[in-house]
Amino acid sequence: MKDIKKLVRPNIAALTPYSTARDEYKGSLGILMDANENPYDNSVNRYPSTSQKEAVRARVAALKGVSPEKLFLGNGSDEAIDLCYRVFCEPGRDNAVIIAPSYGMYGVCADINNVERRMVLLEPETFALPVERLLAAVDSDTRLMFVCSPNNPTGNAFAAADIERLAASFEGILVVDEAYIDFSSKPGVLPLIDRYENVIVLQTLSKAWGLAGLRIGLAMSNPYIISLFRQVKYPYNIGTDTLALALEKLQADIAPQVAEIVAERDRLAGLLPAFKCVQKVYPSDANFLLVKVDEPRGLYDALLKAGLIVRDRSTVALCEGCLRITVGTPDENEKLLKAIEDYES
Ligand SMILES: *Cc1c(COP(=O)(O)O)cnc(C)c1O
């Protein structure tokens, strides 16, 4: 068992967290004169209630099959990424090892927190997880390691056994971002949080759940790490309307829509290689495709003229020549195919 407590910044371990009026009084009965709110009801004049947040937490926890004390709800996964740095990394001293290419926020949050970032390139073309090189980048000041699976922008999910090797060998905190796990044919690594004290799994309601505008991200780990996140977060990090809407939207059955997106992804992956300008479509376990083309900027501009906005990743290391295309509705995907056809003719 790893000693997680010694990885926590001393000021965080010693923190007396801010206690809100609603932490101290959780009820809703009576006349509330404790939080300096405006007393006139307009449906959002009160600070978010603890019970409402707990209801969302209980629902998400049940969906994920974890107990609520192992789940943190953040203002997007981005809040959870930032909290990893704020809880575990001493600015100006500690460092984080991050796979590349991957999601930009791991590096941006490192920069914001004045934490050195050590970028480790994936294996070229296969985009496989370079387990040995990641471990070789670690030194005694490495507190965090970020892995994203399925990875953005490469689209591939890593073998669970490779991720587990990192969890077992790395002495710091391994953060596995599974924002796209609902689209993946491979199993995720959520069960690792019960076997390794140093694992945090991030997921989100922004992708498969279709709730990007709500800003709700999930961090799942052992109760100790989750309690640290809850102490360091902003007091009311998720608003009343967001919580109410989340509880309503979480009643949906997303499986049919996810299945359609996956089917459309696979259909596009089958059709795109037929175009002359397409050199390669990388295998995807996510809701987007990384596509290598002859002239990425030219195709990007042509698609833009046709009213289609894709992501140009051609200047990113190992993604030279690549556009990242998010899978749309069947109708949108038809428009994409037609636009590429027009571009070629
Ligand atoms: C889209 C995405 C997220 C989601 O972030 P939110 O803040 O939850 O919307 C997280 N990680 C990766 C890799 C992503 O691509």
Side-chain angles (χ1 to χ4, degrees):
M1 190 89 93
K2 294 170 202 282
D3 188 1
I4 295 306
K5 288 201 167 80
K6 75 176 192 312
L7 296 171
V8 178
R9 292 168 66 198
N11 59 312
I12 300 300
L15 187 71
T16 305
Y18 179 68
S19 174
T20 69
R22 291 300 114 85
D23 288 333
E24 287 166 20
Y25 177 73
K26 294 181 170 32
S28 58
L29 293 174
I31 297 171
L32 294 170
M33 301 177 119
D34 57 346
N36 300 347
E37 297 150 332
N38 183 314
Y40 296 99
D41 184 10
N42 64 4
S43 84
V44 286
N45 58 313
R46 298 294 174 189
Y47 281 105
S49 77
T50 305
S51 60
Q52 192 187 24
K53 175 111 183 243
E54 288 311 308
V56 176
R57 196 151 83 116
R59 172 77 182 137
V60 175
L63 282 167
K64 297 297 169 187
V66 301
S67 68
E69 79 263 22
K70 294 179 183 171
L71 171 67
F72 167 82
L73 296 180
N75 188 200
S77 318
D78 297 332
E79 182 183 13
I81 293 166
D82 189 52
L83 281 170
C84 291
Y85 286 100
R86 295 168 71 202
V87 168
F88 295 107
C89 295
E90 205 55 46
R93 185 194 73 189
D94 294 338
N95 67 73
V97 170
I98 303 173
I99 62 164
S102 193
Y103 187 46
M105 282 303 286
Y106 316 136
V108 171
C109 286
D111 293 347
I112 290 170
N113 287 285
N114 192 24
V115 170
E116 181 201 343
R117 42 146 117 186
R118 302 186 168 190
M119 312 307 280
V120 176
L121 285 177
L122 301 176
E123 303 297 345
E125 286 305 305
T126 63
F127 300 132
L129 197 63
V131 174
E132 300 313 324
R133 282 190 289 114
L134 284 163
L135 292 172
V138 169
D139 70 11
S140 59
D141 291 325
T142 306
R143 291 291 174 275
L144 299 174
M145 184 182 289
F146 280 92
V147 167
C148 180
S149 180
N151 187 38
N152 177 8
T154 58
N156 58 312
F158 301 120
D162 284 348
I163 296 175
E164 181 163 359
R165 274 208 287 151
L166 290 175
S169 303
F170 177 44
E171 293 297 324
I173 303 292
L174 176 67
V175 185
V176 185
D177 187 343
E178 295 190 331
Y180 299 97
I181 194 65
D182 301 293
F183 304 107
S184 180
S185 57
K186 297 200 182 73
V189 296
L190 189 53
L192 291 187
I193 67 169
D194 291 320
R195 297 181 24 231
Y196 297 90
E197 298 274 283
N198 61 331
V199 172
I200 300 174
V201 173
L202 306 180
Q203 293 186 11
T204 182
L205 301 187
S206 294
K207 304 285 156 66
W209 278 94
L211 303 174
L214 285 190
R215 311 305 305 127
I216 298 184
L218 289 49
M220 290 167 282
S221 187
N222 58 74
Y224 174 63
I225 287 180
I226 295 305
S227 74
L228 292 170
F229 276 24
R230 283 159 63 84
Q231 289 174 44
V232 176
K233 71 167 175 60
Y234 289 158
Y236 302 106
N237 62 337
I238 303 179
T240 307
D241 278 9
T242 298
L243 290 168
L245 210 50
L247 206 51
E248 180 194 319
K249 301 286 186 191
L250 284 167
Q251 302 304 317
D253 175 11
I254 59 167
Q257 208 175 66
V258 168
E260 175 166 293
I261 292 168
V262 167
E264 281 293 294
R265 174 196 74 201
D266 293 344
R267 184 172 78 90
L268 285 177
L271 291 172
L272 287 169
F275 291 104
K276 284 197 303 292
C277 66
V278 172
Q279 293 177 11
K280 180 164 186 179
V281 178
Y282 290 91
S284 174
D285 276 296
N287 66 336
F288 57 83
L289 291 168
L290 189 71
V291 184
K292 185 172 250 170
V293 300
D294 291 336
E295 296 195 37
R297 203 63 215 179
L299 179 57
Y300 177 90
D301 288 338
L303 293 176
L304 197 60
K305 279 214 186 76
L308 291 146
I309 301 137
V310 300
R311 196 90 196 262
D312 183 358
R313 299 280 77 186
S314 62
T315 59
V316 173
L318 301 188
C319 295
E320 291 82 7
C322 290
L323 300 179
R324 191 193 69 192
I325 304 177
T326 307
V327 177
T329 65
D331 181 51
E332 290 170 340
N333 300 330
E334 278 311 309
K335 292 199 167 86
L336 170 80
L337 294 167
K338 175 75 170 52
I340 303 176
E341 206 175 293
D342 292 347
Y343 164 75
E344 287 202 331
S345 63

